[in-house]
Amino acid sequence: MKSQLECAPCILKWVYERAGILATGKGRFQLVERISGILAREFHSGTNVGCLSNKITDSVNDYLLKSADYYGGIKLRSNQLVHKLLPVARKYIEKGRNPRERFKRAFRLASASNVAPMSVPGEAFRFREVINIFRGKNPLPTFIGDVFETARRASHILYLTDNAGEIGFDSLLITKLKEMGPKVNLVAKEDPFFEDATMKDALFFSMDKL
């Protein structure tokens, strides 16, 4: 991912707000110093933003550990909510008339569940976009190219997870991917990591059994 000028303030804001959620006044200043120090040394037009973000989050691991309890409750409640929605989600997917349509329905749910606030979450994710798809209220996510055919032709798929809760809808899409034949490798964050899905969240949805 190539860097843009707006990436620097975005990274600073995103990491600072999340890592410093339980920090004291002095700790917040130290957090900003760490993040801005790395940005000052390493952010330039050719920077790989993904690698830079990893380096910055690694540098604030002590803050991650302190904020783990705050995010742990939000992630658990998000997972529990999605777990209750999965039977409805499965019925929605199986109403597809053929494998292509069922795949696209699973893909839409996984995509819609990715909609989350950029600010620090203050409560469990509600997944209103997904629920509105069940109810026929939301515009459906659109596809760029033939995603079904691309997946069908693949022999190996690397699947990167994002948020807790959302990973439950990912499990439905991965089920459809595996039915098509390719080997699927799932990657989750190392615990703890803000509201993002970790192995603990993958196991909550029994993804090890997929």
Side-chain angles (χ1 to χ4, degrees):
M1 183 177 179
K2 294 182 179 180
S3 58
Q4 304 293 330
L5 282 175
E6 58 267 27
C7 291
C10 180
I11 291 172
L12 174 60
K13 182 176 187 293
W14 194 91
V15 178
Y16 165 74
E17 288 184 340
R18 281 163 170 72
I21 191 70
L22 299 179
T24 61
K26 183 178 179 181
R28 289 175 181 271
F29 274 99
Q30 292 174 340
L31 178 58
V32 171
E33 288 172 4
R34 285 193 207 175
I35 300 170
S36 57
I38 295 175
L39 288 171
R41 291 193 305 272
E42 303 192 28
F43 182 77
H44 51 78
S45 60
T47 299
N48 181 302
V49 178
C51 292
L52 178 64
S53 298
N54 287 341
K55 183 171 290 188
I56 288 174
T57 51
D58 285 346
S59 75
V60 298
N61 190 58
D62 51 333
Y63 286 88
L64 284 175
L65 293 172
K66 291 177 183 177
S67 65
D69 287 344
Y70 174 86
Y71 290 103
I74 290 174
K75 291 162 74 168
L76 177 59
R77 291 191 293 276
S78 298
N79 287 340
Q80 290 171 335
L81 174 60
V82 171
H83 195 269
K84 292 179 181 178
L85 293 174
L86 287 185
V88 181
R90 290 190 182 96
K91 288 181 180 179
Y92 170 82
I93 292 170
E94 294 309 314
K95 286 180 180 178
R97 294 167 295 179
N98 51 54
R100 177 184 289 270
E101 182 59 32
R102 290 190 287 274
F103 170 84
K104 292 176 75 172
R105 285 179 173 233
F107 207 109
R108 287 189 177 112
L109 295 184
S111 298
S113 69
N114 183 247
V115 178
M118 286 298 293
S119 58
V120 174
E123 59 179 12
F125 297 124
R126 308 311 299 172
F127 302 101
R128 293 184 179 89
E129 290 79 9
V130 173
I131 293 172
N132 284 338
I133 287 178
F134 296 156
R135 296 172 177 172
K137 293 182 178 180
N138 253 30
L140 296 176
T142 57
F143 293 89
I144 300 175
D146 193 338
V147 181
F148 174 79
E149 193 61 27
T150 300
R152 190 182 67 81
R153 291 178 179 177
S155 60
H156 191 175
I157 293 174
L158 181 66
Y159 200 109
L160 308 181
T161 62
D162 191 11
N163 294 324
E166 174 189 334
I167 194 173
F169 295 109
D170 291 333
S171 72
L172 303 181
L173 176 55
I174 290 171
T175 298
K176 292 303 171 189
L177 288 170
K178 287 182 67 65
E179 287 175 2
M180 296 161 68
K183 177 181 179 182
V184 180
N185 278 53
L186 183 76
V187 178
K189 299 288 197 311
E190 184 177 358
D191 199 36
F193 201 95
F194 308 131
E195 69 268 39
D196 283 21
T198 65
M199 183 63 74
K200 185 186 301 181
D201 303 297
L203 295 177
F204 181 92
F205 290 102
S206 302
M207 296 180 82
D208 56 318
K209 297 177 182 177
L210 290 180

